[in-house]
Amino acid sequence: MKENDIIELLKSQDEFLKTTSKTSVENRISILKKLKASIKAHEQGIVDAIYKDFQKPEFEVLTTELFVVYKELNLFIKNLKKWSKPKSVSSAWLNFPSSDKIHYVPWGKVLVIAPWNYPFQLAITPAIGAIATGNTVVLKPSEHASYTAGVLVKIFNEVFEDQQAKIITGAVETAKILLEQKWDYVFFTGSVPVGRIVSEQIAKHMTPHTLELGGKNPCIVDSTAKIDVTAKRICWGKFLNAGQTCIAPDYLIIDSKIKDEFQKKLISSLKEFYSETSYKDYTRLIHDSHFEKLTGFLKDQNIIYGGESDAETNFLAPTLVDSPDLSSPLMNEEIFGPILPLYSYSTFDELEEMITSFEKPLSLYVFSERKDFVKQVNEKFDFGGGVINDTIVHFVNDKLPFGGVGASGVGNYHGRASFNTFTRQKPIVNRKTWLDIPIKYPPYNRVNSFKSFLNLFR
C-alpha cells in the first residue's frame, strides 16, 4: 500500500470514528463473536500457514496461538459490557453537590505492529482489545511470516469494514511509512533495538504507546530445586518455538553444588523431548539471516550438547553452551533462539553481579524450595513478570497484566489490562444546581476561615 493510500485510509477512519464513536457495546460484542467464528472456520488454514512459515508443530500452534486468542475473545465477549460501564467515584467536598464518574473511551486510530515469532496470536490478541474498546485498527503483520499474514487478511476481510480494521502487509519501508503518520495509539511487539526506533518515531506526535520487547531473561536454579522437574520445565520453556519466544529463559545460573548433575538432567530431558533423527516436534528458525546470526553465535563456544544445524531448512538443534564470555556476541543481546548458556554461582552476590550486568529483563525465573531465597530474588531484582518453579506460564493467565520494565517494554496488556490499555479514563464531574456554596467566589473575605479548614490537611 502506497503512502497516499495509507493517508486516505486514516482519513476514512477519522470519518468512521465520528459516526460510530457511540457504537454500542452490544454491537462490538457481536463483532467479536463474528471474529471468533471466522477464526474457527480458518483454524486448519492457520495451522497450515504457520507450518509453512517456519514448521511450527500443530500442537504448538493450537496451544500457543489459537488457545490464547480464543481465551482473549471469550473474556472480552463475557466482560466487555461490565468493564465499559462508567465508574462512580466519591466527589470532592469542594464540589458538593456533584456526582463524579470515570468514563472509558477509545483512543481513536490504533496502529498494531506484530512480530513473526507468534505470527497469529501476537497480531490478533492486541487487535481484539483495541477493536473491542471502540478503536479503529491498522494491523501490520510481519513480512517474515507471509503465509500467516495471508490468512489474517482473509479473516479481516470477512469480519471488518476497511475503515474499522485493516491489515497492511509489507516490509520495513511499509512500517516506516506507517510510523510517520499520526496515530492516537501505537502498540508494537518486537525487539529492543526496533522498539527504540519506534519510540523515537512516534515521539514526534507525542503518541501514547505500548512496547512489548524482550531482553536477557535469567533463570536461577537453586541447590534445593527438584532437579528432574526443573530440567523438564526449563527445556520446555526455552526450546518451545525453537527458543524464538520473548519470555524464554535466555541463560541459566545454577548453584555450583548441583551444576554438573543438573547439566546431565538437561541433556536427558532434551533427548526425551526431541528425536535426534527427525526433530518432528521442533520448530525451525524463521529465515536465513536469523539462522546465520545464531549459528555465528556458536563460533568458538564450548558446546556441551547440540549445535547441529542445516542451512537448507534453517534448522538449529537445541544447544547447551558452557559459560560463554559475557562480552561475546552470544551474551551481548537477547539470543531469541535454541541456544542456552549455562553458568554457575556460589554466593548471592555473584548472582546479583551477573543479573544486574544486563538491562532489566522481561521475565525472571527461579527454581527453589526455599521460600526465603525466592523472596530475596523477587525483592532484589526488577523484571516485567516472573514464575517460581516453572517458565513462561505467566503469559497464559489473562488475569495477570503482561509487559516489561525499562528496556524490556513499556505498558502491558492481556484481559482487563488490554481494556485499560486501549481506553483512556475520561473524568466527568456533574455539578448540581440546587445548592451553590459561595466560598470559592470573590471577594475573598473568608481567608482566615479557609486557613483554619486547611489545617485539617496540613
Side-chain angles (χ1 to χ4, degrees):
M1 187 176 262
K2 297 179 181 178
E3 184 172 4
N4 287 342
D5 294 331
I6 292 172
I7 292 170
E8 287 304 311
L9 172 62
L10 296 184
K11 287 179 181 177
S12 71
Q13 285 190 329
D14 278 329
E15 293 303 313
F16 183 86
L17 285 166
K18 287 177 186 176
T19 58
T20 64
S21 59
K22 303 300 182 185
T23 50
S24 67
V25 172
E26 288 78 8
N27 183 48
R28 282 180 260 144
I29 289 173
S30 118
I31 290 168
L32 294 179
K33 289 178 178 177
K34 188 177 178 183
L35 175 59
K36 181 180 175 182
S38 181
I39 292 170
K40 186 176 180 181
H42 287 281
E43 262 189 21
Q44 192 57 51
I46 295 164
V47 170
D48 294 342
I50 298 177
Y51 187 83
K52 287 178 183 176
D53 280 326
F54 56 129
Q55 288 188 232
K56 183 179 288 193
E58 182 176 9
F59 183 81
E60 288 190 10
V61 175
L62 295 175
T63 54
T64 66
E65 305 265 4
L66 288 165
F67 172 70
V68 176
V69 168
Y70 282 137
K71 276 191 70 185
E72 190 80 352
L73 276 166
N74 290 337
L75 194 72
F76 268 93
I77 290 168
K78 179 181 178 182
N79 294 292
L80 185 60
K81 188 179 292 187
K82 177 178 66 178
W83 291 345
S84 300
K85 288 180 179 177
K87 179 183 177 182
S88 295
V89 297
S90 57
S91 59
W93 178 86
L94 289 174
N95 288 338
F96 180 83
S98 72
S99 62
D100 298 17
K101 291 184 178 180
I102 298 171
H103 294 253
Y104 301 95
V105 298
W107 290 102
K109 301 189 300 295
V110 173
L111 172 64
V112 176
I113 300 180
W116 51 259
N117 58 322
Y118 291 88
F120 185 76
Q121 183 254 122
L122 291 179
I124 286 282
T125 303
I128 289 168
I131 292 163
T133 48
N135 299 281
T136 63
V137 173
V138 169
L139 169 59
K140 160 64 175 73
S142 173
E143 68 274 19
H144 299 303
S146 58
Y147 290 102
T148 307
V151 179
L152 285 165
V153 169
K154 288 180 184 177
I155 291 171
F156 269 51
N157 287 343
E158 287 178 6
V159 176
F160 306 109
E161 300 175 47
D162 278 357
Q163 297 92 336
Q164 182 181 36
K166 177 78 174 176
I167 288 183
I168 296 179
T169 58
V172 175
E173 283 305 311
T174 302
K176 185 179 177 182
I177 292 169
L178 287 169
L179 288 168
E180 287 171 351
Q181 312 310 311
K182 187 174 182 180
W183 300 91
D184 298 306
Y185 201 92
V186 171
F187 189 103
F188 170 82
T189 305
S191 68
V192 175
V194 179
R196 288 195 177 99
I197 295 169
V198 170
S199 183
E200 290 172 5
Q201 192 70 24
I202 62 180
K204 297 173 184 177
H205 297 297
M206 302 287 287
T207 306
H209 56 273
T210 296
L211 302 177
E212 294 294 344
L213 307 177
K216 305 289 286 183
N217 304 318
C219 183
I220 304 162
V221 182
D222 175 44
S223 62
T224 64
K226 294 183 177 178
I227 290 180
D228 286 356
V229 69
T230 297
K232 284 188 175 184
R233 290 178 179 181
I234 289 174
C235 286
W236 169 75
K238 173 61 181 180
F239 298 105
L240 179 80
N241 205 38
Q244 299 167 117
T245 304
C246 60
I247 54 174
D250 196 87
Y251 61 98
L252 289 189
I253 318 176
I254 309 161
D255 190 299
S256 57
K257 294 191 286 292
I258 63 166
K259 187 188 175 192
D260 290 344
E261 181 185 2
F262 189 69
Q263 182 176 301
K264 292 175 184 176
K265 286 294 180 183
L266 287 172
I267 293 171
S268 65
S269 293
L270 288 172
K271 288 179 177 178
E272 180 184 343
F273 285 1
Y274 305 110
S275 164
E276 295 181 61
T277 54
S278 69
Y279 284 95
K280 177 176 66 72
D281 295 321
Y282 184 71
T283 308
R284 296 331 187 230
L285 302 181
I286 187 65
H287 51 61
D288 295 348
S289 61
H290 194 48
F291 172 85
E292 291 165 5
K293 175 183 174 181
L294 291 178
T295 51
F297 281 168
L298 293 176
K299 290 178 181 177
D300 302 320
Q301 296 293 351
N302 181 14
I303 297 173
I304 54 181
Y305 181 80
E308 302 85 8
S309 63
D310 178 11
E312 188 174 336
T313 60
N314 289 330
F315 166 79
L316 177 59
T319 302
L320 304 179
V321 176
D322 187 41
S323 305
D325 193 294
L326 291 181
S327 63
S328 67
L330 181 62
M331 296 305 290
N332 271 342
E333 59 181 282
E334 182 181 5
I335 295 169
F336 217 69
I339 304 170
L340 184 59
L342 276 58
Y343 296 90
S344 63
Y345 73 95
S346 298
T347 66
F348 195 89
D349 287 343
E350 291 177 0
L351 195 65
E352 182 181 0
E353 182 180 0
M354 181 164 192
I355 292 175
T356 56
S357 68
F358 301 107
E359 295 274 10
K360 296 173 184 177
L362 181 58
S363 300
L364 180 146
Y365 308 108
V366 54
F367 288 81
S368 176
E369 297 299 310
R370 293 190 292 152
K371 291 182 180 179
D372 57 339
F373 179 76
V374 170
K375 182 180 178 182
Q376 186 179 15
V377 167
N378 288 334
E379 289 180 351
K380 189 69 179 179
F381 304 116
D382 203 4
F383 50 91
V387 186
I388 300 162
N389 290 325
D390 208 341
T391 61
I392 78 172
V393 294
H394 58 305
F395 186 87
V396 300
N397 187 349
D398 49 40
K399 296 178 180 63
L400 296 174
F402 177 81
V405 58
S408 63
V410 176
N412 52 54
Y413 75 123
H414 283 183
R416 181 62 188 263
S418 281
F419 178 88
N420 294 338
T421 288
F422 290 110
T423 58
R424 65 180 184 86
Q425 295 185 24
K426 187 176 184 179
I428 296 178
V429 175
N430 182 3
R431 287 296 311 277
K432 309 304 178 184
T433 56
W434 53 267
L435 179 66
D436 195 28
I437 300 174
I439 191 172
K440 67 181 181 182
Y441 300 124
Y444 299 124
N445 53 13
R446 299 179 179 84
V447 172
N448 289 332
S449 297
F450 194 76
K451 281 183 177 179
S452 299
F453 171 75
L454 197 59
N455 283 332
L456 297 173
F457 298 91
R458 287 173 172 156

